[in-house]
Amino acid sequence: MVQGWDRGSPAALDITVTSPLTPATLRDASSTAGAAAYAAECRKHTANDAKCQELGWACIPLAVETFGNWGMEAQGVFSRLASALGMHQGTSKSWALHTIYSRLNMSLVRSVARSILGEQSVIVPSRYQRDWHTIFTVFTAFSFVLESPQLTLRL
C-alpha cells in the first residue's frame, strides 16, 4: 500500500512473478515480448480491481517475467519512483531508474535461482534490504510480498 499515489488516493501495488514458458502463455510470449507479464497484469486486475475500487484504492499490478521482463504498469511505477528518488537523492531520473532495475533484477535472479534449487521461501539478506529501503524511501508504509507458486520473497 502506498499512500497518496494518485491525486492523494492510495494504491495497492501487487507484485507477481510469471513464467513465459507456461502452456497458457508460451505461444504469445514466443512472438511478443512481455506477453506473459501483460497476461499476469490482466489476471491481477480481474482478481483485485473490484475490491480496490470499493476501498478507494488504485490497483497496480507489478508483473515480472522470470527472465526479467517487467510489465508496462510496473515500468510506469518504476519511472515515477525514479523521478521521486532522483529528486530525493539529487541524482538523475535515469540513474535512479537504472538503480531500481538493477536491484530488482538482481533480487529476481537470486530468487529464481533459489527457487530452482528447491528453497521454497527466500528471505532477502539484510544488505539487500537496505538497497530496497533506499529505492522506496520517498514513500511511507510500503511493503509487499513477491509470490510465485515456487517462491515467496519478502521485502
Side-chain angles (χ1 to χ4, degrees):
M1 171 69 66
V2 177
Q3 297 295 331
W5 182 258
D6 186 26
R7 293 180 222 106
S9 296
L13 303 182
D14 188 356
I15 293 188
T16 186
V17 178
T18 188
S19 173
L21 302 179
T22 63
T25 59
L26 184 58
R27 180 177 300 222
D28 290 337
S30 67
S31 62
T32 305
Y38 176 75
E41 288 173 340
C42 290
R43 285 191 304 273
K44 287 294 185 176
H45 278 299
T46 299
N48 300 321
D49 277 355
K51 182 64 175 176
C52 285
Q53 186 175 14
E54 178 183 312
L55 296 170
W57 301 348
C59 174
I60 306 173
L62 305 180
V64 62
E65 296 176 359
T66 52
F67 296 124
N69 193 8
W70 289 88
M72 295 302 294
E73 292 187 63
Q75 291 177 41
V77 168
F78 300 152
S79 178
R80 188 167 172 183
L81 287 172
S83 293
L85 186 60
M87 287 178 21
H88 179 77
Q89 293 185 333
T91 62
S92 69
K93 177 182 176 180
S94 62
W95 179 254
L97 193 58
H98 168 76
T99 301
I100 289 169
Y101 280 113
S102 295
R103 306 284 186 194
L104 291 173
N105 286 336
M106 183 54 67
S107 292
L108 177 66
V109 167
R110 290 173 186 263
S111 298
V112 169
R114 288 181 177 138
S115 178
I116 290 169
L117 294 173
E119 297 177 23
Q120 295 296 314
S121 182
V122 180
I123 304 299
V124 177
S126 61
R127 66 180 181 272
Y128 295 111
Q129 289 175 0
R130 182 182 65 246
D131 296 335
W132 280 94
H133 175 72
T134 300
I135 291 170
F136 297 110
T137 190
V138 294
F139 296 101
T140 58
F142 183 73
S143 65
F144 52 79
V145 175
L146 174 63
E147 293 190 17
S148 167
Q150 287 78 31
L151 68 107
T152 299
L153 172 63
R154 297 194 187 279
L155 304 174

